[in-house]
Amino acid sequence: MLSEIYYIIRSRTDGKYLTARVDDDKSGYLLLFKEDFDALSYLNTHAGDLASRLTVESVPGPQVGSLLKRWGFAGVGIVNDPLLPKIEFLQHD
């Protein structure tokens, strides 16, 4: 995760990141995509009507940890297949 670039989906209106909630009582998992086209495919497939309000941004692997801390995310969800979607959840310590 250190040298890779990941792609995240962020709201153009309020700056919040797209997350997945596994448990309503806990904070969400930041969704990470390995390619920008995977993030765009996810948007077009699962949020086509909201796509104009969202943007895809890149984030270097080393910055992911500080992003999790700053926003209080429980961890990350690495999207391995944006169409199904197939997501691998990793908890942040």
Side-chain angles (χ1 to χ4, degrees):
M1 187 142 115
L2 288 179
S3 63
E4 288 191 57
I5 299 291
Y6 292 97
Y7 297 88
I8 52 179
I9 298 174
R10 192 170 190 180
S11 169
R12 293 177 193 258
T13 55
D14 63 9
K16 292 184 179 177
Y17 296 97
L18 183 65
T19 62
R21 288 192 175 266
V22 177
D23 184 348
D24 287 339
D25 296 336
K26 296 182 181 175
S27 60
Y29 288 77
L30 177 65
L31 293 182
L32 298 179
F33 299 85
K34 294 178 183 176
E35 301 289 343
D36 60 343
F37 56 81
D38 284 341
L40 292 170
S41 293
Y42 184 90
L43 273 180
N44 291 333
T45 303
H46 304 289
D49 54 334
L50 300 174
S52 64
R53 296 188 213 161
L54 302 168
T55 187
V56 175
E57 297 179 354
S58 62
V59 61
Q63 291 182 2
V64 172
S66 62
L67 199 77
L68 296 178
K69 287 179 189 173
R70 184 175 6 167
W71 287 79
F73 295 123
V76 296
I78 299 175
V79 181
N80 293 315
D81 185 335
L83 301 178
L84 292 179
K86 184 177 179 187
I87 303 171
E88 178 184 354
F89 291 101
L90 303 171
Q91 194 155 352
H92 179 66
D93 295 326

